Structure formats: structure tokens, C-alpha cells
Amino acid sequence: EDDDDDEFFAPFRHPSGAPLSAEAVSAEDEEGAEVQSLMALVSNVVDVRTEYSRKRRALERLCMSLRPRCLPEGARRVFVQRAMAEGVIQAAVRLIELGGADLACAASNFLGDLAFNSDAGAVAVLEVFDCIAACFGHIFSDLTTAHLPLLESAILLCVNIAAICPFGHSKLVPLVRPVCLQILRHPGVTDKLRGNTILLLANLSTTVGAELRDMRVADVLLDLVKQGKASGVGQSVAESVIVFLHAGPDRCEEIDTLVSLNVVSNYCVPIMKRTLSGSEFRGMYPHLLYTAKLFELFVRCKDYAEALSAH
């Protein structure tokens, strides 16, 4: 952490000791000013005297600023460190505990954005996840339209924690188990919610695959793929989850079905191309680690390897 402080707060020199150009100094000044602006919003969130409506607006503005590619990576890292030091995570958890839907949504969205692509942020949120889970238990027990906005926020929070903290997956599974399959089957949920649920399952499948197989997750995802009614965002990486759960040296019914649906040309090749180009695929940016894992698992079976090599 001391090294990070040197890198981001030494005003006129690179860590290497090379002098900064005027343009670089200007960019650092701009990043510093942006972080200061965000910290003013954090002050509103943590100050017990601030009205709840103002806290909600501050959280919503923080979420907009923390979206991918909105805040430079260096400034984002500095902000996460400073915001956590001010107690923003604990303040957000207290707002979730209050139970108001709009405020809880804003606080949950903020924690999810704080955890996104941040090891420190995700680990810190995971440490208080038991408190969050206790508040969200009722919305995960049964799927109702009244809970959908808060459920979307909660699932997104779980996605971002799961992506960074595989050692925390065991905390997430008991919470999401009752509602995941309901989300995948329910015709009334948004594509965003269904897609994020599949992303969560993709992350969980890397460590708790046996539990997901017991839940028959692949059967539900295969139905979704075969029907072809979901949008790209709503279908997300369903094919990857099926392969992650059932790939092996021998053929299986689940992947045979995918192959019959032209999974190689319609999914495997496009997702690899988008991964390598850093472009969007079905509403998200695929990570090379997971795309490579898809191919590595797929070719474990000779027949599937031949299908892949044909492309």
C-alpha cells in the first residue's frame, strides 16, 4: 500500500524517478480533482446527519462515476482505498439494513460497483457479506415482481464479488440457491437480471460445480438455449456454464445438444474473437481466462475437439 501511495500521490515524478511531462502532471491533477469530488459524495454517505434522500442521490452519482471506463484506473484505485478508509462500506451496509427499497438498491449497487475489478474492494465487501445476506434473505427466498429491482442489485453485487473472490463462493451459494433457477425460468424477469444470474453461475461453476450439477442448472440453461427466445444479454454465457459443468473426456448429452445447435460457430468462435479484441459480447466484456477455459474444457473430448478444429 505504501508503494501505491508513492505512485499516486508523488506530485511531480514517476515511480521510476523520471520527470513527468506537463501533460502527465495535468492528467494527474485532473484525476486528483475527480477523486476529491467523489470523496465529497462519500462524506454525504457516511455522515449520520445527512438526509436519506441525499445519501441515495450521492450513492447513485458514485455508481455512475465508478462504471467501467468512466474513471481512470489509477484514480479508481486511489478512490477505493480512501473511500474504504472513511468507512463507506459499513455505511452502505447500514443503509441496506434500514430496509427501504430505493435506499437499499442504491447502497447495494454502490457496493457492487466498488467491488468490480477491485481486489481490495471485493474482499472488503465479502467481509461484511453475512450482514448483507441477512438483509437480503427475504428477496432470495421467493421471486416476486415487487422485489425485482432490489433482486437485480443484489445479484449484481454477488456477481462482482464472485468474480474477484472465488474463496468466498461458499458464502454466496446458500443465498442464491433458492432463487437462481426461478430467475432463469421466469418469463417476467429482465434480460439484465437473467444475464447477470448466468454470469454469477459461470463464476460459481469454477469452484462449486458439484452443487450446481445437483441443482440441475445445465438442464434449465439448455432449455433457454434451445428455445432461442432470450436476447444475447439474457442468454449471456449460458453455453459456457454448461461446458464448465459437464465437460470431460467422454461425450455427454448436454454438450452433444450444444454441438447440435452449432455452438462452435455460433458461440465459441464469436466469444473468442470478442475476447481477443476486447469488445463487447452479449452485453459484457468476456475475460480471456474464462474464454480459454471454455476451449480447454471443450477439447478434452476427442469428438468435440474435432468439431472445434473444423472452424
Side-chain angles (χ1 to χ4, degrees), residues 107-158:
S108 179
N109 281 332
F110 168 71
L111 291 177
D113 288 332
L114 191 76
F116 179 78
N117 259 4
S118 170
D119 290 356
V123 170
V125 174
L126 181 63
E127 289 176 354
V128 298
F129 190 78
D130 288 342
C131 297
I132 299 171
C135 300
F136 284 159
H138 68 290
I139 68 167
F140 281 100
S141 61
D142 192 29
L143 182 60
T144 64
T145 54
H147 292 155
L148 285 182
L150 187 53
L151 185 59
E152 285 195 1
S153 300
I155 288 289
L156 182 59
L157 172 59
C158 291

Side-chain angles (χ1 to χ4, degrees), residues 14 16 30 42 58 72 83 112 114 128 130 138 145 188 195 223 229 270-272 278 293 307:
H14 281 303
S16 63
E30 288 179 8
V42 168
L114 191 76
V128 298
D130 288 342
H138 68 290
T145 54
D223 287 341
K229 295 180 180 179
I271 195 173
M272 178 59 84
K293 181 180 178 67

Side-chain angles (χ1 to χ4, degrees), residues 133 136-144 151 155 158 170-186 197 200-201 204 211-212 215 217 220:
F136 284 159
H138 68 290
I139 68 167
F140 281 100
S141 61
D142 192 29
L143 182 60
T144 64
L151 185 59
I155 288 289
C158 291
S170 58
K171 282 191 174 186
L172 302 177
V173 172
L175 181 65
V176 303
R177 182 188 292 114
V179 80
C180 273
L181 297 187
Q182 294 183 60
I183 292 172
L184 297 179
R185 293 189 178 112
H186 198 292
T197 301
L200 175 59
L201 293 171
L204 295 178
E211 294 187 50
L212 299 187
M215 293 166 58
V217 164
V220 180

Side-chain angles (χ1 to χ4, degrees), residues 14 43 48 54 64 73 76 83 99 102 105 109 121 126 146-147 150 154 160 185 191 203 207 228 248 251 277 279 287:
H14 281 303
S43 296
V48 295
R54 191 174 178 187
M64 293 182 64
E73 186 58 34
R76 193 182 198 284
D102 289 344
C105 272
N109 281 332
L126 181 63
H147 292 155
L150 187 53
N160 289 343
R185 293 189 178 112
D191 284 341
N203 284 314
T207 61
R251 291 176 58 168
S277 65
S279 52
H287 194 288

